[in-house]
Amino acid sequence: MSMSPFYRRHWRHAAILGLIVLTGFGLFLPEWRKAAGNHFALVQTIHEWGGLFYGLAVLGLGGMFYPWPTKSPAKSPGFTRWAYFFIVMLFISGVGLLIGPSWTRSIATVTHAIFAFVFVGWVVWHLVAHIPIRIGKKKPFTLSLARRHFLGWVIGTAATLPVLWSLPSLAKVVSGRTIQQGEVQGALPGFVPYTVTNGYPAIDPATYHLEVNVPGNSIRLSYEQFKALPMIERKINFQCVTGWAVDGVSFLGVDLEKFLLSKGWDPKEKPWVLFYSADGVYTESLSAEQIHQYQPLIAWQIDHRPLPQSQGFPLRLLVPGMYGYKSIKWLYKIDFADQDVLGYWEQRGYPENAYLGSYNGL
Ligand SMILES: Nc1nc2c(c(=O)[nH]1)N[C@H]1C(S)=C(S)[C@@H](COP(=O)(O)O)O[C@H]1N2
Ligand SMILES: [Mo]
């Protein structure tokens, strides 16, 4: 039996959507991002432009482009309407994630992820429910070994794996966004309190020290000593590279450049500053130039209150004008180096110079 024009179109769409969905998981799953390494930007470009063009084509050309043979409704399986619905929703939330003010991004972060998950779940169900299972040609309800049917099962199984795999990440994003707007972990509303470890380090302020290993003048500051330093306040729009943003947040802290210079740092001799988190995993780095240009803070207050545990208590870096991943939380050690040592996300393909807008126009 040769494929009807409908099914030829159907499988062409399935292949395009498969590519968009897979690259989407490539953006969403830390393990996949790591695997993508330096090709990360390519994965994102394929996902964003692919999704945009495909969505526009489906919306704009409708029945002509989409496998939705309006002229012969009898040959149009009902599932195409569901697929159409998911594509439209993914397109709308995807556009909301790419452009628009912070509130659309905040909503779109969650809805785009949820629709993607439900969609993949639906695809799997659709493959299983619509592909006849039979051995031989006469007996129903048995497994067919016809290549196309077999392929369906393989795709279905393969699609399920990343979904199961990324459920914890999804739960983290959704709970961070929706459960009392982050109040559970004491986070400021709108923030997604990320962590790359299993939880938020619980740091005892009574024993905590910030180590600053200026060559020839290593110092250790207790939380109380730190709080006695001169402070400045910065009001910024906090922007995560994944799309969510919180506008007009104020941070109070110590001017990093002034502080390091006052402790004897020579930026010409050691032009790289390395930051370490007490979570034991997360790291960041900034060049003397970046520090001079962006004027980061070592912050201890967010919106006039001490940092909540989930947002870096007792101290975090705050780099105005750069994506959130530069603002390392639970900061406990600062080192100095001749050369750059890539930070946690930079090792996974994110730009070293993370100034806002540096990343695919976000
Ligand atoms: N130690 C540590 N610092 C971190 C992160 C992290 O996972 N661990 N996530 C970074 C990212 S990607 C962002 S967007 C911000 C999020 O800040 P928030 O936790 O206050 O929402 O923290 C940054 N600092
Ligand atoms: Mo981020």
Side-chain angles (χ1 to χ4, degrees):
M1 185 192 90
S2 69
M3 262 192 228
S4 71
F6 172 81
Y7 275 102
R8 262 205 303 278
R9 270 212 240 172
H10 170 266
W11 283 105
R12 203 184 304 142
H13 281 267
I16 298 172
L17 268 171
L19 182 69
I20 297 172
V21 167
L22 277 181
T23 50
F25 279 113
L27 300 177
F28 188 73
L29 287 169
E31 292 305 317
W32 287 32
R33 270 201 291 252
K34 195 173 165 181
N38 293 330
H39 304 296
F40 184 79
L42 178 68
V43 173
Q44 186 166 33
T45 304
I46 294 174
H47 186 76
E48 289 172 357
W49 287 99
L52 211 58
F53 280 120
Y54 182 74
L56 283 174
V58 167
L59 281 175
L61 303 174
M64 203 177 91
F65 178 78
Y66 194 67
W68 192 341
T70 43
K71 280 172 193 159
S72 48
K75 284 185 191 164
S76 167
F79 71 78
T80 54
R81 251 154 282 154
W82 274 106
Y84 189 80
F85 168 73
F86 283 117
I87 291 165
V88 169
M89 295 320 278
L90 282 166
F91 178 75
I92 292 171
S93 56
V95 169
L97 197 52
L98 263 180
I99 52 176
S102 64
W103 67 268
T104 64
R105 290 186 189 158
S106 300
I107 296 169
T109 319
V110 175
T111 48
H112 197 66
I114 289 178
F115 271 112
F117 279 82
V118 177
F119 176 62
V120 174
W122 175 84
V123 166
V124 172
W125 172 82
H126 159 73
L127 281 166
V128 172
H130 287 85
I131 289 171
I133 310 168
R134 54 196 148 86
I135 293 175
K137 283 170 186 167
K138 289 154 198 166
K139 298 171 191 167
F141 305 116
T142 44
L143 191 74
S144 165
L145 293 177
R147 199 202 285 168
R148 185 155 55 86
H149 299 166
F150 179 68
L151 210 66
W153 283 92
V154 172
I155 295 171
T157 312
T160 317
L161 292 179
V163 168
L164 293 179
W165 196 355
S166 42
L167 277 179
S169 310
L170 179 71
K172 217 182 266 176
V173 170
V174 173
S175 63
R177 303 295 311 154
T178 55
I179 298 176
Q180 297 174 29
Q181 285 287 310
E183 284 302 314
V184 163
Q185 300 290 346
L188 204 71
F191 279 83
V192 183
Y194 284 137
T195 177
V196 293
T197 60
N198 283 328
Y200 309 118
I203 295 172
D204 179 358
T207 55
Y208 169 85
H209 284 92
L210 175 66
E211 273 179 49
V212 186
N213 296 314
V214 178
N217 183 32
S218 285
I219 49 171
R220 277 162 61 85
L221 288 174
S222 71
Y223 188 46
E224 293 306 318
Q225 288 169 321
F226 178 88
K227 286 193 290 184
L229 297 173
M231 297 290 164
I232 54 170
E233 190 178 332
R234 282 274 152 73
K235 199 166 184 180
I236 61 139
N237 298 334
F238 194 95
Q239 170 77 60
C240 172
V241 75
T242 61
W244 58 267
V246 186
D247 289 342
V249 197
S250 96
F251 286 87
L252 185 75
V254 165
D255 182 316
L256 179 74
E257 187 182 38
K258 259 194 200 143
F259 172 67
L260 296 183
L261 291 175
S262 77
K263 298 298 168 191
W265 172 46
D266 179 354
K268 294 214 175 66
E269 192 201 337
K270 297 282 179 194
W272 287 95
V273 184
L274 314 179
F275 304 89
Y276 297 86
S277 169
D279 64 18
V281 179
Y282 206 92
T283 57
E284 257 308 332
S285 67
L286 290 170
S287 70
E289 243 169 78
Q290 289 170 333
I291 291 173
H292 187 68
Q293 189 182 347
Y294 290 92
Q295 295 290 298
L297 298 183
I298 307 172
W300 75 280
Q301 280 192 13
I302 181 168
D303 268 6
H304 315 290
R305 278 172 303 183
L307 292 167
Q309 182 180 334
S310 63
Q311 293 194 276
F313 180 85
L315 303 180
R316 77 181 292 169
L317 199 65
L318 186 271
V319 189
M322 285 199 181
Y323 287 118
Y325 63 88
K326 282 283 172 183
S327 297
I328 181 173
K329 299 187 285 186
W330 311 291
L331 177 67
Y332 89 101
K333 189 170 76 166
I334 302 178
D335 276 351
F336 299 82
D338 306 327
Q339 283 178 349
D340 191 15
V341 178
L342 289 184
Y344 183 87
W345 284 118
E346 288 80 353
Q347 290 167 29
R348 289 157 178 79
Y350 284 96
E352 171 67 47
N353 199 0
Y355 61 88
L356 298 182
S358 65
Y359 205 66
N360 277 20
L362 258 187

